[in-house]
Amino acid sequence: MKKIVKSKEEAVVDHFKNLFNNWGVKYYLQTDSINSEIDTALATAPSKGGGSGLNRPDLRVMLQTSAGVIPVMIEAKGTKGKLVKFSNSEIDNTKPANVKNYAVNGAVHYGLALKDTSYKTVLCIGINGYEENDSLTTEFEIYVLSEKNFWIPKKLEAKNLSFLSSTHEKLLL
């Protein structure tokens, strides 16, 4: 009999919300409004399944930088092996199942929904976690989408997400 693995997505979201609170990072939940431009872009873009419908990242942040505001789309998953799906060393968003089932792929999908807005750079963060040795193991990857790079995801390296705090801006830029 195959063992059923219960998703830890809710615990993963709570873990990162606690970190953001500790760092003083203001975040928005799925149903929170950021602004009409982003809300409209997410509402009118194709859904993760390919049809029409709402796009609701698990968390969103508006990163304040000296160069302006950068929207951050964050998608969470809660199962080992569900952080990112690649094909030929690129994020594979050609299949709706990858967008739905992998954190980074979903975050990039949401980021691309903002392509036709006034925002010329978007950060996409996939967060994932799973239970290992009776504790929550978390992981994340960060990608930047920008008009300058033709909206092709480029990976950013970071040891943690504290750069989302305005006091750590220099770590990103």
Side-chain angles (χ1 to χ4, degrees):
M1 179 183 249
K2 187 175 180 177
K3 182 181 176 184
I4 297 175
V5 177
K6 187 176 178 189
S7 173
K8 294 291 184 185
E9 185 172 324
E10 193 173 305
V12 171
V13 171
D14 286 345
H15 171 79
F16 283 93
K17 286 182 350 188
N18 287 334
L19 289 176
F20 293 168
N21 285 332
N22 289 340
W23 295 328
V25 175
K26 179 172 174 39
Y27 58 85
Y28 300 84
L29 301 174
Q30 285 184 345
T31 57
D32 293 340
S33 175
I34 292 182
N35 64 42
S36 61
E37 184 179 23
I38 290 175
D39 294 347
T40 299
L42 289 170
T44 58
S47 72
K48 288 196 302 185
S52 61
L54 294 176
N55 286 289
R56 291 159 105 180
D58 290 306
L59 296 166
R60 293 161 294 154
V61 172
M62 295 299 280
L63 180 62
Q64 304 288 330
T65 73
S66 57
V69 178
I70 299 174
V72 181
M73 302 290 115
I74 304 170
E75 181 66 358
K77 296 297 172 204
T79 308
K80 189 172 188 171
K82 295 296 182 177
L83 182 61
V84 63
K85 178 73 170 180
F86 293 106
S87 177
N88 298 321
S89 301
E90 300 292 327
I91 294 171
D92 185 357
N93 273 12
T94 61
K95 299 174 188 84
N98 293 342
V99 175
K100 281 191 216 178
N101 295 321
Y102 293 89
V104 168
N105 302 64
V108 167
H109 170 80
Y110 296 133
L112 289 171
L114 304 185
K115 187 168 133 179
D116 294 323
T117 67
S118 63
Y119 300 99
K120 302 307 175 202
T121 301
V122 180
L123 287 183
C124 306
I125 302 175
I127 57 176
N128 188 39
Y130 49 91
E131 195 167 300
E132 192 169 69
N133 300 323
D134 294 326
S135 66
L136 184 66
T137 297
T138 60
E139 57 189 353
F140 66 90
E141 286 190 7
I142 307 163
Y143 288 80
V144 63
L145 296 172
S146 69
E147 183 177 71
K148 181 174 86 174
N149 290 325
F150 307 104
W151 298 97
I152 297 169
K154 302 291 180 194
K155 187 173 182 181
L156 295 178
E157 297 297 332
K159 292 186 189 316
N160 61 51
L161 300 180
S162 66
F163 71 86
L164 294 172
S165 167
S166 59
T167 59
H168 294 90
E169 170 193 339
K170 62 186 171 283
L171 298 177
L172 174 65
L173 301 173

